[in-house]
Amino acid sequence: MQILHIYLSPEHNFFGHHGQPAGTAPMIEVPEVECVAGKGLVGDRFFGWKEDYKGQITFFEHEQYERLCEKFSVIDVPPSAFRRNIITKGIDLNTLIGVEFEVQGIRFLGTQESTPCYWMNQAFAEGAEDALKGHGGLRAKILSNGILRKS
């Protein structure tokens, strides 16, 4: 698995905002991030959020980003719009649901699809929520400590 982008955000824009306007916290691209087992990514909004949280880290396929850009003729929205932490290339993330896997010496457990929500229509393009069903990315638990870097 190649890592193209690593994103963190100190605050939630959509999570907990149902029925309210979206937040404005940016996704900040970093060259590396510290993964803490059972806690999440240092500096991210979900770090230590709750015990045994299934989404301590999220992954998203660059190939899906490219597919959506083509489908909706989008040329000016970056992959950070999906608010996933790690943008990957070269792997079908759905194959990692329910599977322990390793990236750069760090162990993860794929827990479930990172289900797209209606905010995707606002953040990326109208229709993005439906187009992402089954391809919304991967939520995972962090099983070992380490530093994850763009590769």
Side-chain angles (χ1 to χ4, degrees), residues 85-122:
N85 301 119
I86 310 297
I87 309 299
T88 66
K89 189 170 185 172
I91 187 162
D92 178 354
L93 294 171
N94 287 339
T95 65
L96 300 177
I97 295 172
V99 174
E100 284 192 27
F101 62 98
E102 186 174 305
V103 180
Q104 299 179 7
I106 305 168
R107 301 284 306 156
F108 300 94
L109 171 63
T111 58
Q112 63 193 70
E113 178 189 359
S114 189
T115 310
C117 67
Y118 65 90
W119 293 105
M120 294 299 103
N121 295 333
Q122 176 185 334

Side-chain angles (χ1 to χ4, degrees), residues 6-117:
I6 300 173
Y7 295 111
L8 301 173
S9 182
E11 298 175 27
H12 298 281
N13 279 1
F14 308 126
F15 193 84
H17 287 245
H18 180 70
Q20 304 170 37
T24 58
M27 291 298 282
I28 301 162
E29 186 163 8
V30 296
E32 63 183 34
V33 66
E34 182 180 355
C35 300
V36 179
K39 295 282 186 189
L41 304 175
V42 173
D44 191 62
R45 63 208 181 274
F46 283 110
F47 184 79
W49 186 66
K50 71 180 187 181
E51 192 172 332
D52 205 36
Y53 185 56
K54 295 178 180 182
Q56 296 166 5
I57 185 171
T58 55
F59 297 85
F60 188 75
E61 297 170 24
H62 191 261
E63 292 87 348
Q64 294 302 325
Y65 167 70
E66 290 176 323
R67 177 181 68 86
L68 290 177
C69 285
E70 184 176 326
K71 178 178 180 71
F72 295 108
S73 300
V74 170
I75 58 171
D76 59 349
V77 180
S80 61
F82 299 106
R83 297 192 63 82
R84 307 298 190 251
N85 301 119
I86 310 297
I87 309 299
T88 66
K89 189 170 185 172
I91 187 162
D92 178 354
L93 294 171
N94 287 339
T95 65
L96 300 177
I97 295 172
V99 174
E100 284 192 27
F101 62 98
E102 186 174 305
V103 180
Q104 299 179 7
I106 305 168
R107 301 284 306 156
F108 300 94
L109 171 63
T111 58
Q112 63 193 70
E113 178 189 359
S114 189
T115 310
C117 67

Side-chain angles (χ1 to χ4, degrees), residues 137-151:
L138 176 70
R139 292 170 52 146
K141 292 181 183 180
I142 300 171
L143 303 179
S144 66
N145 297 333
I147 304 293
L148 202 57
R149 295 175 174 87
K150 290 198 274 189
S151 54

